[in-house]
Amino acid sequence: MILYLLKRLAVLAASIAAAGVAVFAFMALLPGDPAEVALGVNATPEAVAALRTQFGTDRPAAAQFLDWFGGLAGGDFGVSYVTSSPVGPQIGDRLGVTAVLVLGGMAVALLIAVPLGTFAAVHHRNPLGAAISAASQAGIAVPAFLAGILLVYVFAVKAQALPSGGYVPLADDPAEWLRGLVLPWLSLGLVQGAVLTRYVRSAVLDVMREDYLRTARAKGRGALGALWRHGLRNASVPVVTVLGLQLATLLVGAVVVERVFVIPGLGDLLLNGVAARDLLLVQGVVMVLVAAVLLINFVVDVTYHLLDPRLR
Amino acid sequence: MLSVDGLDVHAGPVRLVRDVSFGIGPGERVGLIGESGSGKSLTALSLMGLLPEGVTASGRATLDGDDLVGVPERRLKRLRGREVSMVFQEPMTALNPLMRVGAQVAEVMTLHGRPRAEARERAVHLLGRVRLPRPEQIARAYPHQLSGGQRQRVMLAIALANEPRLLICDEPTTALDVTVQKQMLELIAEVAPALLFITHDLAVVASVCERVVVMYGGRVVESGPIREVFTNPRHRYTEGLLAASRLTPRGTRLPTIKGSVPAAGGFPDGCVFRNRCPHATEACEQEPALTGDGHAFACWHPAG
Amino acid sequence: MTGRMNASLLTGGALVGVVVLAALASFVWTPHDPTLVDAARKLHEPGGGYLLGADKFGRDTFSQLMVGARTTLYVGVVAVGIAALLGTPLGVIAGMTPRGWLSELIMRVNDLVFAFPALLLAVMLGAVYGADTLTAMIAIGVSTVPAFARVARAATLQVMVTDYVLAARAAGRGPGAIATRHVLPNIGSVLIVQASVSFAIAILAEAALSFLGFGTRPPTPSWGRMLQESQELLFSTPRLALWPGLAIAVAVLGFNLLGDGLRDFLDPKLRRIRAER
């Protein structure tokens, strides 16, 4: 297990490094010199050269990369060529907001998918189970931002029960913070919940056909008792894999949902960065998001191994 | 002790098992034999209340006065694993892969009211009783770390844990290596309280059981003491089955039963065997009754 | 191809058919010019030649939806095409040499690309080159390659252990011949299912990108951008959000159902391989 963990950690580190190279190489391909862009067309060559030295863009690409990538671990993402402010703290401020958004969305998805998917599997022969399957199929077809717009229409425009957007920091007003997050969480969670429901259903259905469930019943458990005690943990093995993929999807979904609800998270920062052509900022946010996806995959793999003794 | 009387099993309109009756006395070991599709496994599962979804049993089966068929799941649950236990055919998939073996043995005891610590202790004892070497170690193992034969012993330990009155074994050795089979059979014969042993293998029945019930097409066609049925079969199906299994001298043709077992619901009216029977006549369009005391058979043109 | 028509296949086919028909028809006829700005028709109510009404610029919603279907299918076809053309050979190679260094390299790079969702690729491309339909298609296509490669690899691994491939190898056939004669024909059905599922995802991605302004540029109509434009009028004119939203949902549902239906309909041998999202 330890060996496996070390191996997996090495792969994670290598992947993050490779992703760093990819992101850096891609952004470095950019036509145009940040120093020239910053100073405008009327700048003297001397001024441009001076700024280039200040930015560090006159050095070889490899040195620039090592500088940038080396700084990441310590939270140093460089200083924006556009706003002249350090990128790291901006990302730090926004990271928490996006994390809360994504984890809340995941929680909503799980709260929907585990009971509904299990119910649909247990009742797969009757109309209610089939109805859940059909509803989840329809739910998958709704993108998160569309769900967001629909939710705003129902709960903010019609019922006027919840705010249609905006974000109040937790420290300022916990109640408003929560009210502001309900719709974004639902937008992310409902759709992912629909996707997850299908996976939970099929995982539980597979497990229900297993011989060891019959063994459990032969011991004297009822059908549901056997499923609860022996089935759900087994069913969770494939579901955990999907969960990891979904967290990655949610991270991207959060970018869009932040735009719908005007929430100052990483997605908002990313899109603002693109609009302002603040490439170092874009580079930094993309790197954080990609690293997050890789980290999630790592956690999923390890969880998988913890859940299933056959893999140890 | 166990008495089965007029047991029927249906899947929708299709009758898979018809009017099956037999009994098992305390300590008696009875073999239930037949080809696949004969209804022998369904008969066993209906005694456990574990029929697959959409399949239902009717008729009467009692174990020392406790009804086993047509009673609510709530009451059956209390009997399963305590009064009557079952060992299944496929040991590789019958245990929960994510749970330690000892916990799976202990579970059947805690489920029926034994304190947890005591159950854990007894689980190790039981693993030793089914002749697993180093039971403490086996108890901590996961199923995938054990061989097929070892897993089947674990299943047997689970079945015996609460000292049931009846043990049902459904082809418990079919999936095992030949060398392991023999040890397993000896062990079952030794530890079983009363036994209902389901198999298609006549040699296995002969080595374990005292009495035999032969099923074909969902019906009992012959039953009686094993020595008598095997040396003097009366039903033409039993006769064919024995002839097909007997070792024949080199050069002679191996006798077989012509045709193959029809699909469920495809058996003829009257005698279920008549479309494959070389002795069938018009009389066989009427259903023969199971007659005889001790050694009973249902055939219009019995052998011998 | 011995399958039975099933409900998913028929429903999915019908929904996809509606979208395709709308897109094809838009080449020759739309009720109005979908890009024509007409202040007099601003927020025209449904009716009077404007079946579903008009938006804040007076553009006919129905006509926009028809041409938007074209955009959606165009992006989907190109993106899935990129994914299939790159992903299939990579997956087949990885599946035919499961223990080779090449296979290892392919799958590692695959995992890395997998960490770059379409949206991030599109944003990066957009930041560097300016976002338009092309960058959206490339981003969606590249990000879908890993799913194709994984499915192609899994299917190839199954085909490689079949008797007919073993026989072909024993007869001395080269890897190229085995790939084209045995592997590709046999994994075709799995790839078709994957293509259908990927198409649904491409539609979702295109809508999201256009919604964020990283997809099709105005004035070319796009369902995602219609939604984005409708957002500010959600209080007064919710129908502007309703129709493009419905169109996206119908198209995605259609391709998902089609994929499910095809899986059951096509060759059941490789049915256990599940399309990846």
Side-chain angles (χ1 to χ4, degrees):
Chain A
M1 187 68 203
I2 300 282
L3 192 71
Y4 166 80
L5 206 63
L6 287 175
K7 226 172 96 183
R8 211 48 206 79
L9 266 172
V11 171
L12 172 68
S15 306
I16 290 180
V21 172
V23 171
F24 182 83
F26 190 87
M27 300 308 267
L29 288 178
L30 179 71
D33 179 338
E36 281 178 15
V37 173
L39 292 174
V41 281
N42 297 326
T44 61
E46 290 76 26
V48 171
L51 194 60
R52 232 178 248 154
T53 316
Q54 192 197 321
F55 284 170
T57 49
D58 56 343
R59 294 175 303 145
Q64 288 185 50
F65 169 73
L66 288 177
D67 211 30
W68 174 69
F69 195 72
L72 293 185
D76 175 10
F77 286 72
V79 176
S80 165
Y81 306 140
V82 179
T83 59
S84 302
S85 55
V87 173
Q90 296 186 55
I91 292 178
D93 288 348
R94 306 295 191 93
L95 192 60
V97 178
T98 300
V100 164
L101 192 56
V102 168
L103 292 178
M106 196 78 244
V108 172
L110 279 172
L111 284 174
I112 292 170
V114 174
L116 274 190
T118 308
F119 184 89
V122 172
H123 296 272
H124 67 112
R125 280 169 194 272
N126 71 34
L128 199 54
I132 292 173
S133 295
S136 68
Q137 180 69 272
I140 293 170
V142 179
F145 63 94
L146 178 56
I149 291 174
L150 290 174
L151 287 169
V152 167
Y153 182 70
V154 174
F155 291 100
V157 177
K158 283 285 162 198
Q160 307 217 325
L162 291 163
S164 66
Y167 178 80
V168 179
L170 176 63
D172 292 4
D173 185 345
E176 276 306 304
W177 172 80
L178 197 63
R179 268 167 51 84
L181 279 170
V182 169
L183 291 184
W185 278 340
L186 286 176
S187 319
L188 284 171
L190 286 176
V191 176
Q192 291 306 312
V195 178
L196 202 56
T197 300
R198 283 169 62 80
Y199 283 99
V200 171
R201 175 179 179 272
S202 83
V204 173
L205 263 183
D206 284 350
V207 163
M208 280 166 60
R209 300 194 188 100
E210 292 284 357
D211 285 352
Y212 53 77
L213 240 64
R214 186 180 60 185
T215 303
R217 296 197 55 206
K219 287 177 179 177
R221 286 202 186 271
L224 283 179
L227 186 63
W228 177 253
R229 185 78 178 82
H230 293 272
L232 290 189
R233 182 152 168 227
N234 277 287
S236 72
V237 175
V239 169
V240 161
T241 315
V242 181
L243 215 59
L245 294 178
Q246 287 214 302
L247 267 171
T249 314
L250 276 175
L251 212 52
V252 173
V255 174
V256 194
V257 166
E258 281 170 17
R259 176 93 343 172
V260 174
F261 289 99
V262 204
I263 293 171
L266 278 182
D268 183 63
L269 188 66
L270 177 69
L271 298 177
N272 293 343
V274 174
R277 314 258 312 145
D278 190 343
L279 294 174
L280 212 54
L281 181 60
V282 173
Q283 195 175 318
V285 177
V286 168
M287 193 60 223
V288 167
L289 292 176
V290 170
V293 173
L294 290 170
L295 194 67
I296 290 164
N297 287 345
F298 165 77
V299 172
V300 165
D301 275 7
V302 173
T303 313
Y304 207 88
H305 270 245
L306 287 176
L307 278 175
D308 194 339
R310 282 164 297 187
L311 297 173
R312 277 178 216 156
Chain B
M1 186 190 67
L2 173 76
S3 125
V4 180
D5 191 15
L7 180 76
D8 276 17
V9 177
H10 297 259
V14 185
R15 225 168 151 191
L16 299 169
V17 171
R18 294 182 80 160
D19 196 22
V20 165
S21 304
F22 65 92
I24 300 180
E28 197 182 16
R29 299 196 295 268
V30 174
L32 188 57
I33 62 174
E35 295 164 277
S36 50
S38 61
K40 58 191 193 307
S41 287
L42 287 173
T43 302
L45 288 173
S46 55
L47 297 179
M48 290 290 287
L50 289 178
L51 287 170
E53 240 181 294
V55 181
T56 50
S58 56
R60 197 171 150 76
T62 54
L63 181 67
D64 287 337
D66 284 320
D67 274 309
L68 299 176
V69 170
V71 288
E73 164 78 7
R74 203 162 31 81
R75 276 178 53 195
L76 280 180
K77 245 163 61 174
R78 271 182 275 142
L79 298 177
R80 280 203 302 262
R82 193 175 73 179
E83 306 296 341
V84 49
S85 302
M86 187 158 174
V87 174
F88 300 98
Q89 177 173 355
E90 196 35 81
M92 300 312 275
T93 52
L95 291 166
N96 184 342
L98 304 187
M99 206 167 156
R100 289 181 202 275
V101 164
Q104 302 198 44
V105 179
E107 182 192 8
V108 69
M109 292 179 273
T110 51
L111 209 52
H112 294 287
R114 207 181 283 253
R116 187 173 295 264
E118 194 188 321
R120 292 254 167 194
E121 210 170 296
R122 184 168 152 76
V124 175
H125 165 75
L126 282 161
L127 291 171
R129 188 166 158 221
V130 295
R131 310 252 173 75
L132 281 162
R134 287 198 266 184
E136 300 85 6
Q137 218 171 318
I138 298 269
R140 283 193 303 270
Y142 286 98
H144 72 276
Q145 295 164 322
L146 307 183
S147 70
Q150 289 175 318
R151 292 189 211 185
Q152 200 62 302
R153 284 168 195 268
V154 172
M155 286 300 292
L156 190 60
I158 292 173
L160 297 173
N162 292 319
E163 308 283 352
R165 279 178 280 181
L166 174 68
L167 175 67
I168 303 176
C169 292
D170 187 359
E171 307 255 10
T173 58
T174 308
L176 303 180
D177 289 342
V178 181
T179 48
V180 183
Q181 269 190 21
K182 191 161 171 292
Q183 301 167 359
M184 190 72 201
L185 290 173
E186 284 167 3
L187 180 63
I188 290 174
E190 179 192 321
V191 296
L195 178 68
L196 178 62
F197 193 100
I198 294 149
T199 184
H200 64 273
D201 189 333
L202 300 177
V204 165
V205 176
S207 71
V208 176
C209 301
E210 296 144 353
R211 224 148 52 72
V212 65
V213 176
V214 184
M215 282 187 76
Y216 179 81
R219 274 187 233 194
V220 175
V221 293
E222 184 158 6
S223 70
I226 208 139
R227 178 182 289 275
E228 207 167 315
V229 171
F230 276 25
T231 52
N232 182 25
R234 304 300 304 276
H235 196 282
R236 294 295 179 178
Y237 172 68
T238 318
E239 187 188 39
L241 206 59
L242 284 165
S245 73
R246 198 155 290 145
L247 290 175
T248 49
R250 195 191 273 269
T252 56
R253 209 167 54 90
L254 192 68
T256 52
I257 302 175
K258 69 167 181 168
S260 55
V261 183
F267 290 94
D269 296 336
C271 174
V272 279
F273 188 55
R274 71 185 162 94
N275 61 337
R276 296 175 71 193
C277 180
H279 304 276
T281 61
E282 267 178 32
C284 302
E285 287 167 26
Q286 296 297 312
E287 193 174 324
L290 189 69
T291 49
D293 219 18
H295 184 180
F297 54 92
C299 184
W300 292 116
H301 309 289
Chain C
M1 291 224 192
T2 50
R4 243 166 4 95
M5 283 290 174
N6 55 60
S8 293
L9 188 64
L10 292 174
T11 319
L15 295 178
V16 170
V18 168
V19 177
V20 172
L21 271 181
L24 289 178
S26 75
F27 281 104
V28 291
W29 174 82
T30 51
H32 299 271
D33 180 348
T35 59
L36 183 73
V37 173
D38 180 355
R41 295 283 181 192
K42 183 179 170 184
L43 296 177
H44 192 286
E45 285 300 310
Y50 290 80
L51 187 60
L52 305 177
D55 69 4
K56 59 182 170 181
F57 299 115
R59 295 175 301 193
D60 176 40
T61 300
F62 190 71
S63 306
Q64 283 197 311
L65 283 181
M66 285 178 72
V67 182
R70 207 155 84 196
T71 311
T72 290
L73 292 177
Y74 174 49
V75 172
V77 165
V78 175
V80 173
I82 291 172
L85 283 178
L86 290 177
T88 306
L90 289 176
V92 169
I93 290 170
M96 286 182 70
T97 57
R99 297 194 201 296
W101 61 271
L102 188 59
S103 165
E104 185 69 15
L105 180 72
I106 290 173
M107 294 324 284
R108 284 276 165 255
V109 173
N110 216 35
D111 287 348
L112 190 63
V113 175
F114 200 76
F116 287 85
L119 182 82
L120 288 191
L121 286 178
V123 168
M124 283 164 71
L125 279 170
V128 176
Y129 299 103
D132 57 13
T133 313
L134 184 68
T135 56
M137 291 189 302
I138 292 173
I140 297 169
V142 169
S143 70
T144 315
V145 168
F148 257 94
R150 282 184 190 182
V151 166
R153 175 172 174 273
T156 304
L157 282 173
Q158 282 194 7
V159 173
M160 289 304 283
V161 295
T162 55
D163 291 341
Y164 51 86
V165 169
L166 293 179
R169 287 166 79 180
R173 281 217 180 267
I178 289 174
T180 49
R181 280 165 159 270
H182 296 295
V183 176
L184 284 177
N186 278 295
I187 67 172
S189 55
V190 178
L191 293 177
I192 290 172
V193 172
Q194 177 63 38
S196 192
V197 172
S198 292
F199 211 111
I201 296 176
I203 292 172
L204 284 173
E206 191 275 336
L209 286 175
S210 296
F211 180 82
L212 294 175
F214 283 93
T216 306
R217 283 181 182 162
T220 310
S222 142
W223 294 343
R225 211 187 47 258
M226 287 171 78
L227 263 179
Q228 189 252 318
E229 288 167 356
S230 76
Q231 219 192 333
E232 59 178 300
L233 295 168
L234 200 54
F235 285 81
S236 57
T237 327
R239 68 176 152 81
L240 289 176
L242 174 68
W243 297 115
L246 206 59
I248 294 167
V250 162
V252 175
L253 183 63
F255 278 101
N256 271 336
L257 286 175
L258 190 64
D260 280 3
L262 283 171
R263 178 171 31 234
D264 294 342
F265 179 75
L266 294 171
D267 200 19
K269 268 181 298 178
L270 301 169
R271 200 181 283 173
R272 287 215 202 113
I273 295 174
R274 199 171 276 174
E276 291 216 13
R277 289 182 183 276

